[in-house]
Amino acid sequence: MEEKKVCIVGAGVSGLAACKYLAQKGFHPVLFESDRVVGGVWARTLPSTRLQSSPLDYQYSDFPWPENLTKIFPDHKQVVEYLESYARRFDLLKYVRFGEKVVSLDYVGAGEDEMEAWDMWAGNGEAFGGSRRGTWHVTVRNEEDGSCQVHIMDFVILCVGRYSGLVNIPSFPANKGPEAFNGEVIHVMDYCKMGSSAADHFLKGKRVTVVGFRKFALDVAAECANVNGAEYPCTMIIRGKHWNIPKFVAWGIPLHYFCLNRFSELFFDRPGGGLLLSILATLLSPLVWLFTKFTESYFKKILPIKKYGMVPEHSFFQAMFSCLVCVLPENFYKKVEEGSIVLKHSKSFEFCKNGIIVEGDTSPINTDLMIFATGFKSDQKIKDLFVSPHFQKIVIGSLDFTIPLYRECIHPRIPQFAIIGYSEHASNIYLSEMRARWLAHFIGGGFLLPSINDMEKSVKEWDKYMKRYLGKFFRRSCITSLHLWYNDQLCKDMGCNPKRKKGFLAEWFTSYKPTDYANLEEEQKSML
């Protein structure tokens, strides 16, 4: 039997997991990584960046952190070391082609009209499409010499994540953008590539302005404050306020007791849950309000967010379930109070010769260095990989609709292709591993996908759910609030028991950890 060729794009958290589980299914995947190391965004991030969750939540199910780990929130170097150890433990490095960047994907086989007529994904619901199968022509560029080579693959798994690649820089009117500024303008990713000592030297003695108020922005502002203090304060231009908190604990109670267990998921009318669960969600909905007020009262008490006008317009519930909550750098508001960080609210701003002029001000913020921590064009990054204009148009869908991926992995109308790591959760490594397992089981012939219409119906149900509870703060790629319901669906597809705890109370009122899913493969084998 001809061996099927499967390639993975990206050797970060998701790519390593996909590689491991495919290898366990007997495949020999090719993993293309443009960098020279594994780790993805963790390998190129700010020196001070650390985990925002407990190591017990951020780990692979069968690979615990070292016993000598002492930090509550490991830093990025420790995360990279953990990922490298994982790759060595499961002998994954032999599959990785470092320094090779995938620059285009071209599906050769069925035409657009034929694919539109299919009732089943790839023609028959199987991973490789049976007799109707096509192939992917994957163009890869060698980052050392610039040469390109085309690889023929039967299946492509995209694991490029959301926080790297094509940077997002706001647009400005003519003569109001960086061209009017005498100082230096960079994106936070440029800063991340410098390394710790070079970055400190780069910031030293400069008046820095940072645009943004999420994780990258918070970390780079804190680093600037550590280097320069109040003598050269770092100004943060904040266009949107967020619930940035010191840790996921309120009034002494870990927040996972309120929002990351089975009982808390009963508060929501889940996609495909049925009438009984819908009625129960309606009856329990006041508990969502109670949880929100409970947590907000605590963070308003311990953080000076009222003093500095930093209370968000959205609720903590909406932030939590939109994956918009960040952990603050240590002593962040202390740095604000001492004057080494200045918070400046403004929906818009423009450049001038000596700095930045924010909306409503006439005098500029004198600036030597502007750092944009304004995110990435992750949608565009994925679109640009495809040669086909049709695939470019449909792969990410429209901005007012959830990401059109069945089980957050499979596009119903793009055959022999999957994405892992695009949709977010409070612990992305946890979710990525579950998806990698599910996808490897599918590629290995463990189950067929439902019809294209049924997959698209499922995607629409998730879209309806997200918009119902998040309203105008709807984000297209976060499933934190129903991650157990989602995991249950993956487990059922794989023929595994979704209930992983021992005892009624543990099952319903304690949070699930990656280790709860450590024995899924043994269950699959026992059912064969």
Side-chain angles (χ1 to χ4, degrees):
M1 181 178 177
E2 180 188 0
E3 181 179 346
K4 302 299 183 184
K5 296 180 180 179
V6 181
C7 83
I8 302 165
V9 184
V13 165
S14 301
L16 291 176
C19 185
K20 180 217 174 187
Y21 287 104
L22 281 170
Q24 287 185 351
K25 292 290 184 180
F27 293 94
H28 294 84
V30 178
L31 203 170
F32 295 110
E33 170 55 52
S34 61
D35 210 334
R36 292 293 176 180
V37 293
V38 301
V41 68
W42 282 109
R44 293 290 183 269
T45 190
L46 297 171
S48 62
T49 298
R50 56 197 174 112
L51 276 184
Q52 299 192 76
S53 54
S54 162
L56 295 177
D57 295 311
Y58 198 93
Q59 66 177 9
Y60 294 109
S61 63
D62 56 356
F63 192 72
W65 284 81
E67 293 183 359
N68 61 357
L69 183 71
T70 57
K71 292 185 178 180
I72 298 176
F73 298 115
D75 60 39
H76 81 282
K77 290 183 179 179
Q78 291 174 304
V79 176
V80 171
E81 289 171 359
Y82 173 77
L83 296 175
E84 290 173 343
S85 297
Y86 178 80
R88 290 193 299 268
R89 166 64 180 82
F90 296 105
D91 198 20
L92 304 181
L93 295 178
K94 66 184 181 183
Y95 301 108
V96 184
R97 298 182 61 151
F98 290 108
E100 298 194 29
K101 180 181 179 65
V102 172
V103 294
S104 72
L105 303 170
D106 188 17
Y107 185 73
V108 179
E112 183 179 328
D113 291 340
E114 181 182 350
M115 287 188 285
E116 284 295 314
W118 286 345
D119 293 324
M120 301 296 292
W121 188 79
N124 62 357
E126 297 178 0
F128 301 104
S131 61
R132 299 184 179 184
R133 78 197 243 312
T135 56
W136 284 98
H137 289 205
V138 182
T139 302
V140 180
R141 183 180 68 225
N142 186 298
E143 293 292 74
E144 185 172 331
D145 61 18
S147 62
C148 289
Q149 184 177 358
V150 177
H151 300 263
I152 310 301
M153 294 291 168
D154 297 297
F155 202 103
V156 173
I157 305 173
L158 203 58
C159 301
V160 295
R162 298 180 58 84
Y163 300 106
S164 63
L166 194 61
V167 299
N168 179 46
I169 301 291
S171 58
F172 298 88
N175 300 317
K176 301 294 184 180
E179 74 279 2
F181 180 47
N182 282 347
E184 190 169 0
V185 179
I186 65 171
H187 190 272
V188 70
M189 276 296 98
D190 301 312
Y191 177 81
C192 289
K193 296 173 183 178
M194 294 180 184
S196 181
S197 59
D200 287 351
H201 179 74
F202 181 66
L203 294 176
K204 187 69 175 176
K206 291 180 180 177
R207 297 167 297 180
V208 180
T209 297
V210 176
V211 182
F213 198 58
R214 295 197 64 201
K215 188 58 180 170
F216 277 121
L218 294 167
D219 284 347
V220 75
E223 290 185 13
C224 185
N226 290 335
V227 171
N228 290 324
E231 182 180 3
Y232 295 97
C234 175
T235 301
M236 298 188 74
I237 296 180
I238 300 165
R239 298 180 296 172
K241 305 167 191 174
H242 298 292
W243 287 101
N244 299 324
I245 61 178
K247 55 184 177 179
F248 288 95
V249 175
W251 301 110
I253 302 176
L255 296 184
H256 60 73
Y257 286 115
F258 298 106
C259 56
L260 293 175
N261 56 45
R262 288 198 182 278
F263 178 69
S264 67
E265 292 196 356
L266 294 177
F267 305 167
F268 308 103
D269 186 6
R270 61 195 70 184
L275 180 60
L276 181 61
L277 288 176
S278 178
I279 293 173
L280 186 59
T282 301
L283 295 175
L284 293 176
S285 60
L287 293 178
V288 176
W289 177 88
L290 186 63
F291 157 73
T292 297
K293 296 305 178 184
F294 179 86
T295 52
E296 288 182 5
S297 65
Y298 176 73
F299 295 123
K300 287 177 180 178
K301 178 179 175 60
I302 68 166
L303 298 173
I305 54 178
K306 287 185 178 180
K307 176 181 177 180
Y308 293 105
M310 296 306 301
V311 179
E313 298 176 5
H314 55 287
S315 70
F316 186 81
F317 155 76
Q318 289 172 315
M320 189 74 178
F321 297 133
S322 299
C323 299
L324 286 174
V325 177
C326 296
V327 174
L328 288 167
E330 189 174 0
N331 298 320
F332 178 82
Y333 277 103
K334 183 178 179 180
K335 292 180 174 66
V336 174
E337 290 175 357
E338 71 185 21
S340 56
I341 295 177
V342 178
L343 306 179
K344 192 76 173 179
H345 309 275
S346 180
K347 293 290 185 182
S348 63
F349 63 93
E350 61 187 41
F351 287 86
C352 65
K353 182 178 180 180
N354 297 320
I356 312 299
I357 301 176
V358 300
E359 185 180 25
D361 285 0
T362 55
S363 58
I365 301 169
N366 291 324
T367 302
D368 302 310
L369 170 65
M370 164 68 86
I371 302 178
F372 283 105
T374 45
F376 301 84
K377 296 180 179 179
S378 47
D379 291 359
Q380 193 63 45
K381 175 177 65 174
I382 291 178
K383 290 179 182 179
D384 288 348
L385 283 173
F386 290 91
V387 172
S388 163
H390 176 62
F391 287 166
Q392 288 178 353
K393 180 179 178 180
I394 68 172
V395 62
I396 297 300
S398 62
L399 295 177
D400 61 352
F401 193 81
T402 190
I403 300 298
L405 301 176
Y406 176 71
R407 299 290 195 251
E408 307 289 318
C409 295
I410 296 286
H411 194 292
R413 299 199 179 265
I414 302 181
Q416 297 160 243
F417 173 82
I419 297 176
I420 301 180
Y422 197 82
S423 180
E424 298 176 270
H425 176 249
S427 175
N428 288 327
I429 196 171
Y430 172 21
L431 206 58
S432 289
E433 185 184 23
M434 287 298 295
R435 291 169 178 161
R437 283 174 148 143
W438 179 87
L439 188 59
H441 194 59
F442 165 62
I443 293 175
F447 59 90
L448 296 179
L449 292 176
S451 70
I452 290 175
N453 285 338
D454 284 345
M455 287 195 288
E456 291 179 335
K457 179 181 177 182
S458 175
V459 172
K460 290 177 182 177
E461 287 175 344
W462 277 92
D463 178 73
K464 181 180 178 181
Y465 150 75
M466 290 180 180
K467 289 175 179 174
R468 173 179 176 181
Y469 289 105
L470 299 178
K472 68 177 182 178
F473 297 102
F474 157 75
R475 289 184 77 226
R476 306 173 63 217
S477 59
C478 180
I479 62 167
T480 292
S481 56
L482 287 182
H483 81 284
L484 286 178
W485 176 253
Y486 170 76
N487 282 350
D488 289 352
Q489 294 173 327
L490 300 185
C491 286
K492 290 174 182 177
D493 289 344
M494 292 186 285
C496 300
N497 183 5
K499 302 292 180 65
R500 316 298 303 173
K501 301 283 190 180
K502 294 182 179 179
F504 176 83
L505 292 178
E507 182 63 52
W508 283 95
F509 296 99
T510 63
S511 63
Y512 264 66
K513 307 288 185 185
T515 50
D516 290 313
Y517 295 95
N519 300 315
L520 283 182
E521 283 65 46
E522 284 72 12
E523 288 186 27
Q524 292 173 2
K525 292 177 183 178
S526 67
M527 298 185 69
L528 295 178

